[in-house]
Amino acid sequence: MNSIPTVVLTNCPLLRSFMNDTGVLIFNKTTTTATTESIIHCQWLVVGSSQQRIVVEFDYVFIPVPLEEFITTGCRRGSVNLWTPGLENEKVEICGDRHKMRIAGVGRTLMVELRLTDPSLEVKFLMSYRLIQVEQPMSTPSHLVNPSIVSTKNYADCGLTSTDGHKYARVVSSRIVGGRQVVPHSHPWQVLLNDRGKFCGATVLNAKWIVTAAHCVNGSNPQNLMTEFGIHDRYRVEHSRVTRTVKQIVVYPAYNGKSTRWVHDIALLELFEPLVFSPYVRAVCLPSTKDFVRINDRTIVTGWGETHGTGNFRYLREVEVPIQSTDQCGLKDINVATTLCAGLCKNSTCDACQGDSGGPMILLRNGSWHLVGLISWGFSCAGLGVYTKISYYADWIAKTIQH
């Protein structure tokens, strides 16, 4: 039996296992349900073998938290929470009125928790899980390396890498779900941005400018920012690793933070000292047209693993995520002109959160990698992410970095 119910409240439902690799959990509490508890707290544990990972699907979740309240205080009054034991800081928190959510590849153990601090709320959800076999180690997919192998003399060309012949084990992280450790230095435009211990991702545009999410640097002092390039292993002093300080921060003028749900979440950083391009540090290309990205395009997102920059994953990771339509995304107030929505893979291997905020979403076109999005935010990390759409800001970027 791979489902072990841990019941804190006496009337918590049981997690029912239909067979060894599947199970279901149903919770239904109406406003008339009698309870003497001031806080409702239930926990369940799902356990697989070392060769399996867990795929969770919610047919529906109804915990009525208005959007305005969610933006201000999150799921404070009630939520369904998921995390891998030992990684509680990476908890996935779900509330609101959600349907057909899939959270995949979350490891071989999963804690499921229902916590209600407002027992007057009407709450219901239906969750099913299944255990799937972990893919065996594999070499780098050819489309990640072969089209972008170039001569070492062409470091000034954008969107190219110099890796060749590297192999790596496919490692599934708990945060970049369905992701893998990258071929070392296969993303030479990737930047680690450090603001006194708060980490974000960023991307090299040219020798003097990098781009990141506005929420990573808005209100920051440029003197407190440190940018690092040529990194694969965050905890080792690699010979390829270089640092730069920041001269100025240019946040997109219309950015207004959380009050407008992070619309225009983009900022440019000018470096005090220009970069010297090498096999480990070089620029990404920018999209050439407004319709550069299409629905179902499979983009790649990279980062060190913890959204909002609080994680400590050691190696740079990548994950492929498909671009979704507004209907598939399910967030009605998304502005398709300024943002992209991606995730919810059909093969259940790339759902949930991807990488550090501000990091790159890239797309391979005509043999070069193009920056098409920046990691911005996700709704409860529940199977999709929202990204700043670079093509909308191409003119602003070009004018700013040419000055």
Side-chain angles (χ1 to χ4, degrees):
M1 191 77 167
N2 52 45
S3 57
I4 307 171
T6 303
V7 180
V8 179
L9 192 71
T10 55
N11 62 351
C12 289
L14 293 178
L15 184 67
R16 294 181 295 158
S17 178
F18 294 136
M19 59 181 70
N20 285 340
D21 291 340
T22 65
V24 67
L25 175 61
I26 302 174
F27 187 89
N28 189 4
K29 175 187 171 297
T30 67
T31 54
T32 60
T33 302
T35 178
T36 59
E37 303 288 340
S38 58
I39 295 177
I40 297 177
H41 182 202
C42 303
Q43 289 185 332
W44 304 269
L45 183 66
V46 181
V47 180
S49 72
S50 61
Q51 301 300 315
Q52 295 174 313
R53 64 174 179 262
I54 302 162
V55 175
V56 171
E57 297 189 28
F58 286 91
D59 193 58
Y60 57 83
V61 175
F62 180 71
I63 302 178
V65 177
L67 177 59
E68 296 77 11
E69 179 182 331
F70 174 77
I71 292 175
T72 305
T73 62
C75 303
R76 181 175 53 86
R77 288 195 294 147
S79 61
V80 176
N81 306 308
L82 309 173
W83 71 88
T84 299
L87 297 173
E88 285 81 359
N89 63 311
E90 298 177 14
K91 185 178 295 185
V92 174
E93 188 178 59
I94 306 169
C95 62
D97 187 5
R98 308 283 289 164
H99 298 270
K100 300 297 183 183
M101 291 186 303
R102 183 188 302 117
I103 303 174
V106 292
R108 68 184 186 91
T109 59
L110 176 68
M111 184 66 75
V112 182
E113 175 188 63
L114 172 66
R115 179 175 287 274
L116 298 177
T117 58
D118 181 358
S120 67
L121 285 179
E122 177 181 351
V123 175
K124 57 184 178 180
F125 66 87
L126 191 161
M127 184 202 88
S128 60
Y129 74 87
R130 58 191 174 92
L131 303 178
I132 60 176
Q133 293 299 119
V134 177
E135 294 183 51
Q136 297 302 310
M138 57 182 293
S139 61
T140 307
S142 60
H143 73 278
L144 293 182
V145 176
N146 293 339
S148 54
I149 296 172
V150 296
S151 164
T152 56
K153 298 179 181 179
N154 294 332
Y155 301 142
D157 293 338
C158 70
L160 301 175
T161 69
S162 304
T163 58
D164 187 11
H166 294 281
K167 295 183 182 293
Y168 64 97
R170 186 178 181 89
V171 180
V172 178
S173 76
S174 61
R175 203 61 172 175
I176 299 186
V177 176
R180 56 201 162 222
Q181 185 182 151
V182 307
V183 174
H185 309 295
S186 59
H187 297 269
W189 39 80
Q190 177 80 42
V191 183
L192 180 63
L193 178 63
N194 185 351
D195 183 359
R196 295 175 298 180
K198 172 191 172 185
F199 293 96
C200 275
T203 309
V204 177
L205 297 179
N206 62 26
K208 286 279 289 183
W209 289 88
I210 65 176
V211 62
T212 188
H215 77 261
C216 288
V217 295
N218 190 42
S220 297
N221 185 335
Q223 296 179 355
N224 295 329
L225 297 178
M226 178 67 69
T227 58
E228 296 186 85
F229 309 83
I231 304 174
H232 177 66
D233 181 347
R234 283 181 56 182
Y235 299 149
R236 188 165 66 89
V237 181
E238 300 165 299
H239 73 280
S240 57
R241 192 167 186 157
V242 296
T243 62
R244 293 289 187 272
T245 53
V246 174
K247 182 177 182 180
Q248 67 165 322
I249 302 170
V250 183
V251 175
Y252 191 75
Y255 175 73
N256 201 24
K258 197 173 184 178
S259 62
T260 54
R261 216 176 190 191
W262 300 281
V263 176
H264 306 304
D265 192 11
I266 184 172
L268 297 168
L269 308 182
E270 184 181 11
L271 306 177
F272 257 113
E273 182 184 354
L275 295 165
V276 177
F277 288 155
S278 70
Y280 313 105
V281 181
R282 61 194 312 163
V284 74
C285 297
L286 291 174
S288 55
T289 61
K290 296 293 183 183
D291 60 349
F292 193 82
V293 184
R294 297 182 290 268
I295 303 300
N296 296 324
D297 276 345
R298 296 191 66 84
T299 63
I300 290 181
V301 178
T302 53
W304 279 272
E306 172 69 11
T307 308
H308 304 305
T310 59
N312 60 355
F313 284 112
R314 181 167 184 169
Y315 301 104
L316 184 64
R317 299 179 186 274
E318 64 189 7
V319 67
E320 292 178 278
V321 292
I323 300 297
Q324 301 288 3
S325 67
T326 303
D327 291 340
Q328 290 170 314
C329 183
L331 300 177
K332 296 181 180 179
D333 54 346
I334 291 296
N335 186 336
V336 295
T338 62
T339 55
L340 296 168
C341 182
L344 300 174
C345 294
K346 293 181 179 179
N347 63 4
S348 301
T349 58
C350 76
D351 298 355
C353 299
Q354 309 90 15
D356 283 338
S357 292
M361 167 191 270
I362 58 175
L363 180 64
L364 184 66
R365 286 279 166 80
N366 300 320
S368 299
W369 292 100
H370 293 74
L371 180 69
V372 296
L374 302 177
I375 300 169
S376 181
W377 63 278
F379 190 93
S380 301
C381 292
L384 56 86
V386 179
Y387 301 81
T388 303
K389 189 176 182 179
I390 290 296
S391 61
Y392 180 87
Y393 303 94
D395 292 341
W396 173 73
I397 292 172
K399 291 176 182 178
T400 303
I401 67 178
Q402 286 172 4
H403 290 169

